[in-house]
Amino acid sequence: MSQNITKIKSRIRSVTGAYKVTSAMKLVSSVKLRTWKSKMIANKRYALEVKKASDCVFDYLTDVDNVLVKGNKEAQKNLYIVVTSSLGLCGAYNSNVFKLVESTIKKEDDAIILGKKGTIHFVNGEFNTLEGFGKYESIKNAAIIRTLSDYIIDVYKKGEYKEVHIIYTEYTNPIVFTSKDMVILPLANDDENRKVVGCPPLLEPSKDMLVETLIPFVINNVMYSCILESEVCEQASRSNAMENATDNAEELLSNLQIEFNKARQAAITQEIIEIAAAANAL
């Protein structure tokens, strides 16, 4: 009986330790979630205005001979930017991204994996993984994001890819977030049936010069917005996972405490019976 009590005490200590860890991680992830969510909301307003202004310009650039606008129609493969986390314990955040990647990227396509978890998962993937951005860990690595934006513009100009996509996680609310595939390049399709309403804007100093200046800015803004949204989803998913783990630990502790009380009561009863039996024997 004493061995059973000792075993229950050991389990209570181990579950209590896990409870403390999950509670602390839940608190940290909740603070990070509030921080990055406020930045995401502010950035969305900014990104929306940038998109409105850039769309207005691109609507009048159908006669500009720029590959970033017209696209590489002769290219045979696509490039995918995949955003994953570098830390674990974030529920189904990474697995949802992995499922979308495996159903979307073809064998002939190339991919750049951001985040250690994705790098490890796709080390033996069916598609070609490009190296050079393995140092990325989180949205704080803004310099790497800018370098990546410049890189995809450069390789697209060389005609290596038909389209450039980014696979990230779109935020809906703290519980619902969905993996999404979005086309980054080309920026505008050559649609002859498109109707432009209103007076055309004055593009200075020239259309070609404006395209070369505006596109890198727009691409970097899109990249940053998508990765920032993925960061928010990662923290939300980790907060939810740690909250569920904490609740489970609380329930398990409650059950173990009941089990411990029963075992202790049984031990006390057994000792009383033995004492009474010994007294009767005398």
Side-chain angles (χ1 to χ4, degrees):
M1 187 63 69
S2 61
Q3 292 180 352
N4 189 31
I5 293 176
T6 303
K7 187 181 296 185
I8 295 174
K9 282 184 176 179
S10 177
R11 289 194 64 193
I12 290 175
R13 284 194 298 269
S14 62
V15 174
T16 301
Y19 171 80
K20 292 179 180 179
V21 171
T22 56
S23 298
M25 293 188 67
K26 173 189 172 183
L27 179 61
V28 171
S29 58
S30 297
V31 172
K32 289 184 177 180
L33 173 60
R34 287 195 296 269
T35 301
W36 291 115
K37 184 178 178 181
S38 61
K39 293 183 178 180
M40 181 191 72
I41 293 173
N43 180 75
K44 272 194 171 183
R45 299 192 189 102
Y46 172 76
L48 180 61
E49 295 302 320
V50 170
K51 187 177 186 306
K52 287 181 180 179
S54 60
D55 286 347
C56 180
V57 173
F58 294 138
D59 283 342
Y60 293 91
L61 294 180
T62 55
D63 58 338
V64 174
D65 187 17
N66 190 296
V67 67
L68 299 175
V69 178
K70 297 292 186 180
N72 293 318
K73 297 181 180 179
E74 296 181 358
Q76 301 299 319
K77 61 181 179 178
N78 297 329
L79 173 64
Y80 288 83
I81 314 298
V82 182
V83 184
T84 65
S85 71
S86 292
L87 301 177
L89 299 177
C90 51
Y93 170 79
N94 286 314
S95 60
N96 291 335
V97 174
F98 297 159
K99 290 178 182 177
L100 180 59
V101 168
E102 290 167 358
S103 63
T104 303
I105 302 182
K106 301 177 181 179
K107 293 183 179 180
E108 65 271 15
D109 294 332
D110 294 341
I112 296 175
I113 311 298
L114 300 181
K116 294 180 180 179
K117 294 299 180 180
T119 302
I120 295 172
H121 182 83
F122 294 114
V123 65
N124 294 320
E126 295 183 354
F127 49 84
N128 182 36
T129 302
L130 303 181
E131 298 181 358
F133 300 95
K135 294 182 178 180
Y136 173 85
E137 294 183 355
S138 70
I139 189 65
K140 294 180 180 179
N141 302 122
I144 296 179
I145 297 175
R146 288 193 295 270
T147 303
L148 178 58
S149 300
D150 295 338
Y151 172 79
I152 63 176
I153 291 174
D154 183 57
V155 295
Y156 196 81
K157 285 182 176 179
K158 294 178 180 178
E160 296 184 18
Y161 301 104
K162 186 176 182 179
E163 292 180 342
V164 177
H165 297 240
I166 182 168
I167 294 179
Y168 70 106
T169 307
E170 185 178 42
Y171 181 87
T172 303
N173 57 53
I175 299 177
V176 179
F177 20 84
T178 309
S179 299
K180 185 177 180 181
D181 176 14
M182 185 177 72
V183 178
I184 300 179
L185 288 173
L187 283 175
N189 294 322
D190 189 8
D191 186 1
E192 296 178 356
N193 298 322
R194 179 174 49 192
K195 296 181 180 180
V196 179
V197 180
C199 298
L202 297 177
L203 304 179
E204 296 291 344
S206 66
K207 290 183 178 181
D208 294 331
M209 183 67 69
L210 183 60
V211 168
E212 291 295 329
T213 306
L214 181 60
I215 287 181
F217 173 76
V218 172
I219 294 298
N220 186 73
N221 181 68
V222 171
M223 290 283 295
Y224 180 82
S225 298
C226 293
I227 296 175
L228 176 59
E229 196 164 355
S230 292
E231 183 78 23
V232 174
C233 294
E234 177 188 344
Q235 299 303 333
S237 181
R238 183 173 290 109
S239 179
N240 294 334
M242 293 301 100
E243 183 177 2
N244 293 333
T246 302
D247 293 342
N248 292 337
E250 286 180 348
E251 182 179 357
L252 184 56
L253 281 174
S254 178
N255 294 335
L256 286 173
Q257 191 62 49
I258 294 174
E259 188 177 345
F260 173 77
N261 292 338
K262 289 180 178 180
R264 185 178 62 176
Q265 186 64 43
I268 294 172
T269 302
Q270 181 65 30
E271 289 177 0
I272 293 174
I273 292 173
E274 291 175 356
I275 292 172
N280 290 333
L282 294 174

